[in-house]
Amino acid sequence: MAEKKRVVVVGARGVFGSLLVKVLADSYDVVEAQRGKLHFSNAFAVVCTAGPFQLLDRGMVREAVAAGAHWLDIADDARWFFDLVDDAALDAIARERGVVVMPGLSTLPAISHALVRRLGSPKRVSITLYIGNDNAKGAAAIASGAALHTPDREFLRREGIDAEVRTRFEMPGVQLAMRVLAKVPIAARTRIAKVIARIAKTFRFGTRGGYVEVRAGDRVERVSGADQRLAILPLVFALQHLPSPGVHAPTVLDAEQLLEFVGR
């Protein structure tokens, strides 16, 4: 029996990280990285669900690449995403080491971009991420989502597509509360988000999961999920379908195969 490839999960104890560990456990030797004790030696891949990505050290990516490990993450923060995708030096190192670096393997921008391509890459699209209220709420997700600056708009602009991106919440009032929270500096916002996350565990009602929807005129494409696995399934798919070495955006993945995988 072949030995399982080792995958180090950064952020394994968070909402999305714990889901990812469960999904990967049968196929890989999963190692949960300890905060402040990141050891990437002998790893096939390092996968990151920690956040907010605005506060993460990009040096982790170079450490993983230097150790000969692929780096995949679920970042939906534009700065983190483009800092990696546009890093020519990192791309050269990744190619030399024979590994892949791919950020953004989540609902936004991986699934949203795949839906745009399914629509034929029209010149103007509207992207909506809908979040059910009964979802587990981690502090990192709250802090990051409050001021969501997804890569979608800029990345699609580079392809000649004008995109509007918005997040919708099931519970009335959450939209306004998140707008207020977005005005707080990220470090303080994260502290506040930890308090909100603890309170949210007590008040769970509504529906779970959510959907990603792309509209172009009267045409609509949507992927729904009954739980929160939509956020991590693009990463699982990419781990199984790694492209050639180098730094890549999720658009390098086959859109229809990805949508079929996350829609099962």
Side-chain angles (χ1 to χ4, degrees):
M1 184 175 179
E3 185 177 353
K4 290 182 178 180
K5 296 176 179 177
R6 176 167 295 180
V7 175
V8 176
V9 181
V10 181
R13 297 187 179 183
V15 172
F16 298 126
S18 58
L19 282 173
L20 184 60
V21 168
K22 291 178 182 178
V23 172
L24 296 180
D26 290 339
S27 302
Y28 300 93
D29 172 20
V30 178
V31 177
E32 299 183 15
Q34 301 297 316
R35 185 174 294 274
K37 298 179 181 179
L38 303 178
H39 299 292
F40 301 147
S41 59
N42 301 318
F44 168 69
V46 177
V47 298
C48 183
T49 63
F53 279 88
Q54 295 96 320
L55 295 178
L56 291 190
D57 180 6
R58 289 159 183 77
M60 286 193 302
V61 182
R62 289 184 177 269
E63 289 179 22
V65 170
H70 303 290
W71 174 278
L72 309 176
D73 67 48
I74 64 168
D76 56 9
D77 176 67
R79 182 174 179 182
W80 173 277
F81 181 87
F82 289 112
D83 276 357
L84 297 187
V85 169
D86 293 339
D87 191 334
L90 178 62
D91 179 65
I93 297 170
R95 290 174 185 271
E96 179 183 337
R97 298 293 293 169
V99 298
V100 170
V101 174
M102 193 182 305
L105 291 163
S106 190
T107 45
L108 306 178
I111 295 178
S112 54
H113 276 62
L115 291 173
V116 171
R117 283 179 280 169
R118 173 175 279 181
L119 285 172
S121 299
K123 292 299 182 181
R124 180 169 295 180
V125 297
S126 174
I127 299 170
T128 300
L129 173 63
Y130 178 83
I131 301 174
N133 187 65
D134 196 32
N135 291 342
K137 300 172 181 66
I142 294 171
S144 180
L148 185 63
H149 297 295
T150 170
D152 292 76
R153 287 191 65 184
E154 169 60 18
F155 202 68
L156 287 171
R157 186 195 65 77
R158 296 182 182 190
E159 299 177 2
I161 300 172
D162 180 24
E164 175 189 5
V165 185
R166 61 179 179 173
T167 305
R168 288 185 56 209
F169 300 91
E170 179 180 19
M171 183 178 176
V174 172
Q175 196 85 40
L176 177 59
M178 294 294 267
R179 287 177 183 171
V180 173
L181 189 59
K183 299 181 182 299
V184 179
I186 182 63
R189 189 192 316 153
T190 302
R191 292 193 294 270
I192 296 171
K194 289 180 180 179
V195 176
I196 295 174
R198 287 196 294 269
I199 296 173
K201 289 181 180 179
T202 305
F203 300 97
R204 295 277 294 273
F205 59 88
T207 58
R208 289 188 181 181
Y211 63 77
V212 186
E213 177 185 276
V214 176
R215 289 180 175 269
D218 58 355
R219 295 179 296 156
V220 180
E221 289 289 347
R222 175 188 291 184
V223 173
S224 302
D227 56 27
Q228 292 172 272
R229 292 190 307 158
L230 275 184
I232 54 102
L233 286 178
L235 190 154
V236 178
F237 177 82
L239 200 56
Q240 298 174 1
H241 300 82
L242 289 169
S244 59
V247 178
H248 299 281
T251 47
V252 73
L253 302 172
D254 184 280
E256 287 304 319
Q257 288 183 13
L258 172 59
L259 291 175
E260 179 183 355
F261 180 82
V262 301
R264 290 174 186 170

